[in-house]
Amino acid sequence: MAHAHQKTDLHTVDFQVDPVVLELGQRFVDAGHELSLVGGPVRDLFLGRTSPDLDFTTDATPDQTVALIRKWADNFWEIGRAFGTIGMRKAGFQIEITTYRAEAYDPESRKPVVAFGSSLTDDLLRRDFTINAMALRLPSLELVDPFGGVRDLHASVLATPGAPEASFSDDPLRMMRAARFASQLGVSVRDDVRVAMTRMAERISIISAERVRDELVKLVCGQHPRVGIDLLVDTGLAEFVLPEVSALRLEADEHHRHKDVYQHSLQVLEQAAALETDSDGAVPGPDFVLRFAALMHDVGKPATRRFEPGGAVSFRHHDMVGSKLTTKRMKTLRFDNDTIKAVARLVELHMRFYGYGEAGWSDSAVRRYVTDAGPLLERLHCLTRSDVTTRNQRKADRLSFAYDDLESRIAALREQESLDAVRPDLNGAEIMALLDLKPGPVVGRAYKFLLEERMENGPLDPADAESRLRAWWAEQPEAVAPATSESPDAPATSVSPGSPADVESSLTEESK
């Protein structure tokens, strides 16, 4: 690593820069051009972090850049050429080199109108925040910081190089980035930036859902997600991005008859993140699915709040309502289906545990809990434990002990039987053979019957399962006249005995 000491008004920084960076800088200087490391990688040097992704800026045109790196890079690409950016890989680093820009934005669009510039200072002025508007000239390692990025980084403050209104007007996504950096870096936002975000919050509406989603994921997965969400809500940005979360503030009624659901949700988010594991554990962090479910778990409460006689407040079925609201919001934000289903399912299941300590669950109830959670079980454990924010220590301890007991019950059952992907003791092909049936809804009903038997009683030996199935079949009207052809609403399906397709092939949508 190459080293250089850079004096600032605040402190001395020992820059450690990979030789690849210095070599690239020397190539440009030898060709009569400027090259500087810029933005996040420079900020991270002050934070003691390194990144495999390096951003550079230069006065060279894209054509000149290609000529300089064509034989030097391991490989390169020109996808961003229209924006002045040439990408490449070298010695394990992903590198982007962008020609100085002095760009403007269409007020109704996120897309910039690109104009190449000739000044490093002008290029830094157009960047989002002062902590990202620093550059390191190469190969000299001279720090260029015309807007006080080092000062603001030292003070943990987020500010814009120019007027924040102008910056956010040029690119409204920067308001989301402010909240994201607040989460990732734990920085506060300067008053003028907060005011501008509040005044201009509605402009986030012109940004594509995909871009907003990507910033939201980074925010939720940051080290301080509560800070980022709070900033979105306080400035009004959440009204356009996560209105369901903003609505939770309405739940703090003037009589204080129940807890502030918004603050509770932020605390659950923090507590869930604290339960994440390392890469070898059950829920490696940061885990977006767990964290977002924690944030959204109570969004069904505003729609289900009822004041009961005697002053009590109820939120019946808020778990189901919240699951639907979560699904709708995530679809709007263009999340993939698997992520949507996982988060919504956790929201739906987050109340399932309550009552366990008092009611005393049967083995059947424990099986259903595990089966309904499926691959989300470890996340559900974390979410349910995180959902305890009471200041009543006795109540908190009671819930914790009850959940410890549930996990012990699950472990004990797992030693006796498989709880993962619980299936009936006879598969679809075996059911059809025993009852002389062809694929159709009746097979689906028989499958569901055996699945219920498996849930209630645990594993059965094949003879017992067959006996119960025949007894059930004797009570069905179809047993009087066994089907000799498929019912008209059940198209022919090829089923191989014992195959994983047994369930899907024999169940119609009606019987599922």
Side-chain angles (χ1 to χ4, degrees):
M1 300 288 268
H3 299 259
H5 290 286
Q6 171 62 49
K7 280 282 189 181
T8 74
D9 293 335
L10 297 172
H11 48 247
T12 299
V13 177
D14 183 19
F15 293 130
Q16 298 186 33
V17 180
D18 194 276
V20 166
V21 173
L22 300 179
E23 183 182 344
L24 182 59
Q26 192 64 55
R27 290 182 73 86
F28 274 74
V29 168
D30 290 347
H33 295 295
E34 299 176 356
L35 185 76
S36 299
L37 187 67
V38 70
V42 178
R43 177 198 69 221
D44 287 347
L45 285 173
F46 284 92
L47 297 175
R49 306 189 309 198
T50 57
S51 170
D53 300 335
L54 301 175
D55 296 325
F56 297 86
T57 188
T58 180
D59 62 345
T61 65
D63 285 343
Q64 291 169 328
T65 294
V66 169
L68 284 168
I69 60 91
R70 182 185 297 276
K71 295 181 179 179
W72 178 81
D74 295 334
N75 61 303
F76 72 96
W77 51 93
E78 304 180 54
I79 298 173
R81 173 185 279 272
F83 299 98
T85 300
I86 302 299
M88 72 196 74
R89 289 194 67 82
K90 176 70 175 183
F93 290 99
Q94 182 158 310
I95 294 170
E96 287 191 348
I97 302 177
T98 303
T99 303
Y100 293 156
R101 298 210 306 236
E103 66 191 18
Y105 288 80
D106 179 340
E108 301 305 320
S109 171
R110 165 67 175 86
K111 297 178 181 178
V113 179
V114 178
F116 296 146
S118 58
S119 162
L120 175 58
T121 300
D122 288 347
D123 183 86
L124 295 177
L125 176 62
R126 72 173 183 80
R127 295 179 181 268
D128 54 5
F129 302 107
T130 58
I131 61 173
N132 296 328
M134 299 182 287
L136 208 57
R137 288 191 187 274
L138 299 171
S140 66
L141 296 178
E142 173 196 352
L143 178 67
V144 181
D145 181 19
F147 306 107
V150 172
R151 175 200 64 216
D152 292 341
L153 194 60
H154 186 69
S156 294
V157 172
L158 207 61
T160 53
E165 291 83 1
S167 180
F168 298 153
S169 180
D170 282 349
D171 184 0
L173 188 65
R174 289 172 174 172
M175 295 186 287
M176 285 293 298
R177 286 169 62 82
R180 187 247 286 188
F181 284 125
S183 170
Q184 288 182 327
L185 304 177
V187 296
S188 61
V189 176
R190 205 167 71 181
D191 287 347
D192 61 337
V193 173
R194 182 182 291 269
V195 168
M197 290 172 67
T198 304
R199 289 176 178 171
M200 303 177 69
E202 188 175 3
R203 276 190 60 77
I204 198 67
S205 301
I206 71 170
I207 302 297
S208 73
E210 291 83 359
R211 288 180 178 274
V212 171
R213 174 202 64 209
D214 291 347
E215 290 296 330
L216 180 63
V217 170
K218 293 174 183 176
L219 184 163
V220 170
C221 291
Q223 288 188 320
H224 312 277
R226 181 176 192 151
V227 175
I229 295 295
D230 238 348
L231 183 57
L232 291 182
V233 171
D234 288 347
T235 58
L237 273 165
E239 295 287 348
F240 304 95
V241 176
L242 284 176
E244 297 81 5
V245 173
S246 293
L248 293 175
R249 292 180 301 173
L250 301 177
E251 295 309 298
D253 69 299
E254 67 276 13
H255 302 296
H256 303 289
R257 285 191 288 241
H258 59 281
K259 73 180 83 175
D260 180 336
V261 181
Y262 172 65
Q263 292 299 330
H264 162 74
S265 297
L266 294 185
Q267 187 175 345
V268 174
L269 168 60
E270 281 188 319
Q271 292 179 175
L275 290 178
E276 292 169 342
T277 65
D278 58 22
S279 58
D280 296 326
V283 185
D287 188 279
F288 174 79
V289 169
L290 170 63
R291 293 186 181 200
F292 200 56
L295 177 65
M296 302 292 282
H297 78 284
D298 274 348
V299 295
K301 283 191 170 181
T304 58
R305 181 172 66 167
R306 298 291 182 270
F307 293 100
E308 307 290 349
V313 181
S314 68
F315 303 97
R316 291 189 181 90
H317 307 302
H318 77 271
D319 43 358
M320 301 299 294
V321 173
S323 179
K324 292 177 180 178
L325 289 173
T326 299
T327 296
K328 184 177 180 181
R329 177 54 46 197
M330 294 183 74
K331 284 183 177 178
T332 299
L333 290 170
R334 302 289 193 272
F335 278 93
D336 64 277
N337 288 334
D338 288 345
T339 303
I340 293 173
K341 289 178 181 177
V343 175
R345 186 64 165 160
L346 285 174
V347 173
E348 178 185 343
L349 293 174
H350 84 272
M351 292 294 293
R352 185 72 65 88
F353 159 76
Y354 290 94
Y356 171 81
E358 292 82 0
W361 285 7
S362 64
D363 284 352
S364 171
V366 175
R367 287 187 195 99
R368 292 178 193 279
Y369 189 80
V370 174
T371 300
D372 288 348
L376 299 171
L377 181 62
E378 294 296 339
R379 289 184 174 112
L380 183 58
H381 289 337
C382 294
L383 176 58
T384 305
R385 289 185 180 277
S386 301
D387 197 18
V388 179
T389 60
T390 179
R391 295 179 182 176
N392 184 328
Q393 192 59 47
R394 288 182 63 186
K395 182 179 179 182
D397 288 344
R398 177 169 53 81
L399 289 169
S400 179
F401 293 152
Y403 208 87
D404 288 344
D405 185 60
L406 174 58
E407 289 202 60
S408 296
R409 292 274 306 282
I410 292 172
L413 268 180
R414 276 210 164 109
E415 290 183 2
Q416 302 171 30
E417 60 185 88
S418 172
L419 293 182
D420 299 319
V422 172
R423 291 172 174 252
D425 297 285
L426 301 176
N427 61 38
E430 291 166 330
I431 291 170
M432 289 187 286
L434 281 169
L435 302 184
D436 192 21
L437 294 174
K438 293 191 176 181
V442 178
V443 181
R445 282 170 34 215
Y447 187 94
K448 286 180 67 175
F449 165 76
L450 284 177
L451 183 59
E452 284 294 314
E453 290 292 305
R454 172 68 174 79
M455 286 290 186
E456 286 295 327
N457 303 294
L460 303 173
D461 62 62
D464 194 5
E466 179 180 341
S467 175
R468 295 185 187 215
L469 177 62
R470 290 192 185 281
W472 170 85
W473 180 238
E475 298 174 357
Q476 307 306 307
E478 293 89 348
V480 178
T484 56
S485 62
E486 296 172 22
S487 58
D489 61 341
T493 309
S494 174
V495 180
S496 56
S499 74
D502 289 340
V503 182
E504 294 300 322
S505 64
S506 60
L507 304 186
T508 64
E509 286 303 315
E510 174 189 354
S511 60
K512 288 181 186 176

